Amino acid sequence: MSTRNDAAFGRGKVVLPRHPLSTRILVMNWNLIGHEPAVRLLKEHIKQGNLRQAYLLTGPQGIGKRTLALRIVQAVNCQQPAGDGEPCYQCRSCQQIERMQHPDLSIIQAEQVAGSLKVDQIRDLQRSLSLAPYEANYRAGILLRFEEASAGAANALLKTLEEPPARVILILTAENSELLLPTIVSRCEVIRLRPASIEQAAQGLQQHWGIAPEQAQLLAHISGGRVGYALQLYQSPEQMEQRQIWLDDLHRLLTAGRVERFAYASRLSSDKNYKETLQAVLPVWISLWRDVLLVAAGASTPVTNLDRRDEIEAAAGRLGIEGARCAIQALERTLHLLSRNVNARLSLEVLMLDLPVL
């Protein structure tokens, strides 16, 4: 099916706090850590009766775009609101939306990360949105990772954005608005989300999910303040283990010869899901080299890979600012080439030649 009302589709689920949210500040912020400006703006739209029919939430993976989208739907459909734009989170409607099981909520996305959102999925969504709300104030369509929409899907959505049905709200998410058609972006209210501070994220992870302080600090650093990504890592130990493997691979490659580097490139590019794998591993490597650059430059910005501090300082001492900068450029160039469907093995072999040698 192309419209999703179940809680268990795609990668990951909406995360419910393990402990009651005790502070009024967090409740008034839609039970979110960070995103205060976005919440204030959206609540004002609801209070003034000036709700947009289409919003575009942008920001990096794991920053909380999907969670904020669900909060918008809760805020306009809550059966017992605590105030204008303030959902109760306890009524039947709020609970169903939280679980992504509400009959008036449709959620669509590409079947897999780096896949393609199909035009048939948009048409199914349009048929659903053409119906009057079953029990809510608004029918809602959430279109996740819309940068993965095919050209046909994006063009099909334009008609709905130009002539939206009554009592319908559309919420698109994407990493960057520049990845979408300008005609799509111009018909949406764009809300750009920013990560929480490291301390804010660490405190939230401790207070509201019961994570131990040392682990919360590490997760906050690794995620760069993206609480959703931090929780994903916490709840999926295998992802943390995979991160360690990729960083160990990078450490080994920096002292390896050309034969071993090319063998590694061949192994990565021959993976059945190589696109998804490379979109995961290369940003992890970039994060480490950015840490090297920060340390080499003597910046006060906290490093991301807190558990790799010794390696980072050693690389900064040997390669300096220029070496770190060149490594980052090579990795980012490779990511860009892969997004344009350039031959993966060739791109990785060039990367292996460009990576510094320790």
Side-chain angles (χ1 to χ4, degrees):
M1 292 181 64
S2 58
T3 54
R4 307 293 182 93
N5 298 81
D6 58 289
F9 75 95
R11 291 167 59 87
K13 301 180 181 180
V14 169
V15 179
L16 292 173
R18 296 184 177 182
H19 302 286
L21 301 176
S22 57
T23 66
R24 179 172 176 78
I25 292 176
L26 195 59
V27 170
M28 296 302 289
N29 196 45
W30 283 1
N31 287 357
L32 297 170
I33 298 170
H35 308 323
E36 291 88 350
V39 173
R40 283 197 301 270
L41 174 68
L42 290 162
K43 288 170 72 172
E44 190 64 23
H45 287 180
I46 296 169
K47 182 178 180 180
Q48 299 296 330
N50 194 26
L51 190 70
R52 311 298 194 259
Q53 290 193 290
Y55 290 93
L56 170 60
L57 310 181
T58 67
Q61 181 267 334
I63 202 169
K65 299 185 293 293
R66 179 177 62 178
T67 301
L68 180 58
L70 292 170
R71 293 293 180 269
I72 297 171
V73 181
Q74 287 175 318
V76 299
N77 287 322
C78 180
Q79 296 168 333
Q80 301 170 348
D84 289 332
E86 195 59 64
C88 70
Y89 310 106
Q90 303 302 319
C91 69
R92 181 170 175 268
S93 179
C94 282
Q95 290 289 313
Q96 285 182 319
I97 293 166
E98 189 77 42
R99 295 192 299 269
M100 297 184 287
Q101 293 176 332
H102 196 286
D104 291 317
L105 171 64
S106 297
I107 302 177
I108 65 171
Q109 65 177 352
E111 291 297 327
Q112 61 183 20
V113 175
S116 178
L117 180 67
K118 307 295 186 183
V119 65
D120 288 344
Q121 293 176 272
I122 297 295
R123 289 173 179 156
D124 286 346
L125 174 66
Q126 289 168 328
R127 283 190 285 269
S128 175
L129 297 179
S130 68
L131 303 173
Y134 179 70
E135 61 182 42
N137 298 322
Y138 288 85
R139 273 194 177 271
I142 298 177
L143 298 91
L144 300 172
R145 305 198 316 270
F146 197 71
E147 67 269 25
E148 296 176 355
S150 68
N155 286 318
L157 184 66
L158 271 176
K159 183 176 180 181
T160 300
L161 291 174
E162 291 167 350
E163 301 174 6
R167 309 205 70 76
V168 162
I169 181 171
L170 286 167
I171 307 169
L172 288 64
T173 76
E175 291 203 7
N176 192 321
S177 61
E178 294 179 0
L179 300 173
L180 308 185
L181 291 175
T183 46
I184 294 282
V185 178
S186 66
R187 289 162 174 79
C188 299
E189 175 90 7
V190 181
I191 298 178
R192 297 172 178 83
L193 303 183
R194 301 287 185 265
S197 69
I198 300 299
E199 281 308 310
Q200 187 181 27
Q203 289 175 8
L205 292 170
Q206 292 175 57
Q207 294 172 9
H208 307 297
W209 282 275
I211 300 176
E214 185 175 346
Q215 189 176 13
Q217 279 288 339
L218 176 60
L219 291 169
H221 278 263
I222 292 172
S223 67
R226 294 173 291 158
V227 176
Y229 181 43
L231 287 169
Q232 184 180 335
L233 292 173
Y234 174 67
Q235 296 172 341
S236 303
E238 65 275 10
Q239 289 192 40
M240 284 290 282
E241 183 179 353
Q242 182 61 71
R243 168 185 165 271
Q244 294 284 9
I245 291 171
W246 286 333
L247 290 174
D248 287 343
D249 288 346
L250 176 61
H251 184 70
R252 186 181 67 256
L253 287 170
L254 295 179
T255 60
R258 183 177 299 181
V259 172
E260 185 177 349
R261 288 186 176 201
F262 277 17
Y264 187 83
S266 175
R267 188 164 67 253
L268 272 185
S269 59
S270 62
D271 187 294
K272 181 175 63 174
N273 299 314
Y274 73 90
K275 283 188 177 181
E276 186 174 345
T277 299
L278 292 172
Q279 286 188 343
V281 63
L282 296 184
V284 170
W285 288 2
I286 290 171
S287 74
L288 187 123
W289 284 109
R290 284 180 175 160
D291 286 343
V292 173
L293 181 63
L294 289 172
V295 172
S300 59
T301 305
V303 298
T304 296
N305 299 281
L306 198 62
D307 53 339
R308 297 274 176 157
R309 183 81 196 198
D310 291 345
E311 292 176 26
I312 292 164
E313 290 179 349
R318 294 195 61 178
L319 298 173
I321 294 174
E322 186 61 22
R325 185 184 63 80
C326 289
I328 293 169
Q329 287 180 338
L331 287 160
E332 290 181 339
R333 182 171 59 250
T334 305
L335 265 179
H336 175 70
L337 290 172
L338 293 170
S339 72
R340 298 173 65 88
N341 293 318
V342 173
N343 182 279
R345 180 168 179 173
L346 179 59
S347 299
L348 287 173
E349 287 179 350
V350 172
L351 172 64
M352 293 297 122
L353 293 174
D354 289 340
L355 284 178
V357 178
L358 292 179

